[in-house]
Amino acid sequence: FDPDPEPRQQPENYQGNVASSRLLTPSTLELSIAFPDELPPQYLAGQYLNLVLPEDKENGLRRELRSYSLFSHPKDGGPLRIIAKLISGGRSSEWLRKLGEGDPVSVEAPLGSFHLKRPLHTHLYFVVTGTGIVPIRAMLRELVESAAIQNRSVTLLWGLRTEDDLFGREEYRDWASQYTAFEQIVTLSGANDSWSGARGRVTDYLKAHPINIDDSQVYLCGNGAMVDDVIEVLESQGLPRRSGRVFCEKFFDSPRSQQS
């Protein structure tokens, strides 16, 4: 499902180097890529790039591509930043773990049509799970940079398993303190007793707190099963998926029983 018929931009190949690599959580890696010999790709907040996994003849591995949304914003300047969920034994994850500062990295960029759709509506909802926050962070930064966040209500609903999976929450808290119409809600499906925030999956929250469907746009990103389930909830509340006001990007598919 992709209600956005705009033409896709043709990506180009870029050669960069690792500027930094750090763990945000035990299984979440932030990688920064610098382009010392050329200008970095020009992209829209919310788009993604492909990392080129090099051929490894010794281990019988071919050149492959892996897609990662851009955590950075075009106005950040400096290296591009991506966030990767590390999976034990995964080829891309193991390759990323071994990368160090200065190592060469090839990318294809920019890619994707998941970005803010203008004209922006009065009510903007961003519903995400896990690392689905990555392109949404860039979109929220776009709202801040353009001052569009001042003229509308903006709600971020972020579903995770446990508090240990949280990263970068301070930035959203800062925005909430600066802009009264911005609300950040974190809901945990596996919260411990000390958690004082929302509990359960994002679908549970949306059923208990229906969105304002009048003059609204909804952006969904993360677990494929979550995206499908949230679309069902929105349709039951009067916002059809083919309304042209629901936009989504699926990171991966997993059983519904495993979604946040």
Side-chain angles (χ1 to χ4, degrees):
F1 164 56
D2 183 0
D4 180 22
E6 67 187 57
R8 304 300 175 97
Q9 185 176 355
Q10 186 66 31
E12 296 186 11
N13 296 315
Y14 296 84
Q15 303 301 315
N17 299 93
V18 174
S20 65
S21 177
R22 63 176 181 136
L23 287 173
L24 302 179
T25 75
S27 61
T28 308
L29 178 79
E30 180 187 69
L31 185 74
S32 297
I33 306 170
F35 300 87
D37 298 324
E38 57 186 334
L39 293 175
Q42 300 301 301
Y43 62 97
L44 298 174
Q47 289 189 298
Y48 68 94
L49 56 73
N50 282 336
L51 282 183
V52 180
L53 274 61
E55 182 181 35
D56 183 353
K57 292 183 178 180
E58 183 177 343
N59 293 302
L61 299 175
R62 298 179 297 176
R63 174 185 181 275
E64 295 182 1
L65 303 177
R66 293 292 188 275
S67 300
Y68 293 95
S69 291
L70 286 155
F71 192 59
S72 51
H73 181 273
K75 289 188 178 181
D76 283 345
L80 300 184
R81 290 188 290 158
I82 63 170
I83 305 292
K85 185 70 173 179
L86 300 178
I87 301 172
S88 179
R91 179 185 175 188
S92 181
S93 295
E94 297 304 319
W95 179 69
L96 287 170
R97 287 182 191 273
K98 296 175 182 177
L99 287 178
E101 184 176 347
D103 285 345
V105 178
S106 298
V107 305
E108 295 180 352
L111 291 153
S113 61
F114 189 61
H115 51 76
L116 292 172
K117 309 301 179 182
R118 290 175 168 81
L120 297 172
H121 290 222
T122 303
H123 306 285
L124 303 179
Y125 295 88
F126 299 90
V127 183
V128 304
T129 52
T131 52
I133 191 67
V134 174
I136 299 305
R137 181 268 175 188
M139 293 185 195
L140 292 172
R141 175 72 187 278
E142 175 67 20
L143 293 175
V144 171
E145 289 288 340
S146 65
I149 196 170
Q150 299 178 10
N151 304 319
R152 49 190 43 84
S153 68
V154 179
T155 301
L156 169 64
L157 175 60
W158 187 9
L160 296 156
R161 296 180 189 274
T162 70
E163 195 169 359
D164 291 339
D165 297 320
L166 277 168
F167 61 90
R169 190 183 185 189
E170 295 76 14
E171 185 173 35
Y172 312 121
R173 283 176 168 165
D174 288 343
W175 291 338
S177 67
Q178 295 177 52
Y179 306 103
T180 57
F182 175 66
E183 183 180 20
Q184 174 202 194
I185 303 157
V186 175
T187 182
L188 303 182
S189 59
N192 58 31
D193 294 339
S194 65
W195 176 250
S196 59
R199 294 171 179 265
R201 299 174 177 175
V202 293
T203 45
D204 299 328
Y205 188 91
L206 289 172
K207 289 175 182 177
H209 306 84
I211 72 167
N212 183 340
I213 64 172
D214 295 330
D215 196 22
S216 61
Q217 291 171 313
V218 183
Y219 296 82
L220 311 174
C221 189
N223 183 303
M226 177 279 292
V227 170
D228 293 337
D229 285 350
V230 169
I231 288 174
E232 290 182 11
V233 172
L234 295 177
E235 290 188 327
S236 71
Q237 295 176 355
L239 184 59
R241 71 183 222 170
R242 300 195 182 280
S243 63
R245 294 189 285 136
V246 180
F247 310 98
C248 62
E249 184 148 278
K250 296 180 179 181
F251 272 19
F252 58 86
D253 287 307
S254 66
R256 279 176 166 76
S257 61
Q258 295 181 13
Q259 75 180 70
S260 294

